[in-house]
Amino acid sequence: MINLKSWFLLAILSAFLCTTLGSDAVDSVLRRLDSKQAQSVVQESAAKGVLQRLLPAHLHSFEFKIISKDLCGGRSCFRITNYKSSRRNSPEILIQGTTAVEIASGLHWYLKYKCGAHISWDKTGGVQLASVPKPGALPLVEARGVTIQRPVPWNYYQNVVTSSYSYVWWDWQRWEKEIDWMALQGINLPLAFTGQEAIWQKVFLFLPDIIQGKSYKLFDTFEQGPELCDYNITTQELNNFFGGPAFLAWARMGNLHAWGGPLSQNWLNIQLALQKRILSRMQELGMTPVLPSFSGNVPAALKKIFPSANITRLGDWNTVSGDSRWCCTFLLSPSDPLFIEIGEAFIQKQIKEYGDITDIYNCDTFNENTPPTDDPTYISSLGSAVYKAMSKANSNAVWLMQGWLFYSDSKYWKPPQMEVQFSRGSNLISLYDMALLHSVPRGKMIVLDLFADVKPIWKSSSQFYGTPYIWCMLHNFGGNIEMYGVLDAVASGPINARTSENSTMVGVGMCMEGIEHNPVVYELMPEMAFRGGKFQLQGWLKSYSRRRYGKVNDQIEAAWEILYHTIYNCTDGIAFHNTDYIVKFPDWDPSGKTGTGISGTDMSNQNRMQQLAGFQWNRRFLFSEKSSSLPKPHLWYSTEDVIKALKLFLDAGKELSGSLTYRYDLVDLTRQSLSKLANQVYLDAITAFHHEDAKALSLHSQKFLQLIKDIDKLLAADDNFLLGTWLESAKNLAMNSDETKQYEWNARTQITMWYDNAKYNQSKLHDYANKFWSGLLEAYYLPRASMYFKLLSRSLEEKVDFNLLDWRKEWIAYSNKWQESTEFYPVKAKGDALAIATVLYEKYFS
């Protein structure tokens, strides 16, 4: 065995050498990417387009100009100066930038810090532009101007699952808004995964004959018909490979196949056309899109067609029964010649469809799937094959990899698997093979430290053993709606990482699983791409509250001071947040027959919750529930303090009620406060059950159910919390009745009980993507809780044991029926949110 001290010293030496070599390699990558960018006039026009869509009346108030990095010390930057001209009606402000993204970032900076404006997603309240003066009266900047350099070159955006949790039903109109938002936030390295199934269809149906030793020829049309392809993979077999629209992310990662499908040709064609518009706009703005590549995930049919190919069936990923219809995907070994050929063909097809627009490709090997062996030689060969497939199609390719596997499967990914392995049986330690991180040439891999806001890997891996990495904020799982944040870590983490000794950090990023929530977090994080040094976060928050609502308000500022120290100051390191009982109702037997009980009659809610708590992690997110243990909702702050903040918000309503951003935050804060109260009420009901107090059980269970109804009514008063919006956006993409039915089922299933279930077993993924949406609470969460409490009451009344299986049977049948149903839910808000929130505060907290 290798001496641990020697291994450590050699790892540090390796990391130092990689750091030295990696810096030059990254500079080389940046130069190549700069050469692919659109012409200056195109980028300036694209930046003007962003301005026109944001502030059409101010289109002529700003002048935009692309400048060389040489004028910014060799880095990306933007410069804001007063426009100097004696002409009448001339622009007032000149914004220069090294790309259109820098120009848009400069525009956003100016609007924030000179005009007091605020820009967030429409579904989080939208923009606050009332504070921007009229054309001709814009505030001047200081005489020397404002110059902001990026301390690191890249600002990355998206998670590989965001495309399913948030983007799946988007049309071009919504994508255009998102790309504008990205540009204003300074995002220059976005993931671009839309439409890749259409590319895979072209690859598998028209793969080069070179694989079978024939002449190399690519077909551009379906003239031969999909049944006559070189691989003899039929359309039906390919349908078995792809997932349904709402589950494509997991099919792409090799977690599942066929679930929610098949994909129609309409879907494939529309998504490919959409991707081309997305990529075109990104390129016009000077962004570098990150395209997908091949990880070895292949259709099952390939094993039949190539029986001698080294194809392994992976293990089960979160199914109830291991049903082969969607379980256990197939992995092509990196040692098989087919691996590189398929990977090369996929990249070539993308270049043919989109043009030579990027050198950066994403590939995530074994995302929540453990490799078939822990032999570092296998890991090294896999990494080498993945990169070779990229580089054969694009000699300048750079592999961008999510570093999630190093956290989610940390028991497997130890240093030898991550970096190097050494020869044994010798006193001399020799470096004889590189594993995953060093299986590609220096500077040809970038790792996303995906969860650096909570669990940074860079600190424990010698900065990824010299591999360039991007400091990322994960923040959200499943697109849940939960007010949560680690603002201190976001404000300091990237700076500390960048200024650390031998730092290999080359960017910051946002890797949330779902978007359109917590606007304060998603204003601060992208701004860190332009923050070179430490700053006063509390002062920033005070400025934020003024900009978000367009006014100075003492109650709001006091409320945000509380929120900063409570909701947005989570330091316990727990990854998964929204497990409140309303949206993730416990699947457990409270009778105590299996060993779980509640002791003590005067126990506080908090103590009861701590004693009842019993959960365990399964990979990245899943609480593996047992009938004998009650999952614990994550609570990291004083609810009493947050209720004080809510009161302050309500007190500010008279002045701010006309603000959409205020109304969104008020509804969200009221919702969260009521949801935490419901957790306590649930525990009160369980305590009453254990005391065999039927009257108290009825009282508390009815209060829990009433809370669901009241929260639903509150959410119905804001356009941004409606189930109908999600369902209608799915149906709007359909081209026929069959697609309408399929898309709605996909949409309903993802947010409720997606993936397989059995008569008495809920899906392991039930409620993972839960949502606090009006319509979903009353039609889905309310019946579930009602069934449960009814059986609890009957147990006491009839003096019989509580039967968990009876509840499961009734509840699962209801869930499946609801997923198949097609009733309409509103897409427009109803009611006065401020009035409803005030009544609910008086009802529950006064």
Side-chain angles (χ1 to χ4, degrees), residues 508-528:
V508 298
M510 295 182 289
C511 297
M512 62 285 120
E513 291 194 350
I515 64 169
E516 299 176 323
H517 51 79
N518 290 287
V520 64
V521 175
Y522 292 91
E523 177 152 333
L524 176 61
M525 185 62 236
E527 192 172 301
M528 296 309 297

Side-chain angles (χ1 to χ4, degrees), residues 364-383:
D364 294 311
T365 54
F366 303 110
N367 198 326
E368 297 171 22
N369 283 319
T370 300
T373 174
D374 62 358
D375 182 357
T377 305
Y378 173 84
I379 302 303
S380 180
S381 66
L382 173 65

Side-chain angles (χ1 to χ4, degrees), residues 777-791:
L777 269 74
E778 185 123 20
Y780 191 83
Y781 300 137
L782 179 63
R784 173 171 62 182
S786 298
M787 295 172 195
Y788 190 86
F789 286 127
K790 182 179 68 174
L791 289 174

Side-chain angles (χ1 to χ4, degrees), residues 744-755:
E744 182 168 5
W745 182 90
N746 269 250
R748 286 170 177 257
T749 301
Q750 188 206 85
I751 59 175
T752 54
M753 197 188 296
W754 80 265
Y755 220 14

Side-chain angles (χ1 to χ4, degrees), residues 480-485 517-518 563 566-568 577-580 582 634-639 642-643 646 664-680 707 711 714-715 721 772 845:
N480 301 149
I481 299 172
E482 172 85 343
M483 294 179 71
Y484 156 83
H517 51 79
N518 290 287
L563 296 179
T566 53
I567 285 176
Y568 291 108
H577 314 295
N578 191 11
T579 53
D580 287 351
I582 287 178
H634 184 203
L635 185 61
W636 63 96
Y637 59 85
S638 164
T639 54
V642 171
I643 290 169
L646 174 58
Y664 172 87
D665 289 348
L666 174 65
V667 169
D668 206 20
L669 183 57
T670 307
R671 171 209 60 75
Q672 180 127 337
S673 299
L674 292 172
S675 181
K676 302 308 176 189
L677 174 62
N679 292 338
Q680 299 175 10
L707 276 163
I711 296 174
L714 170 72
L715 300 176
F721 296 93
F772 272 99
F845 302 123

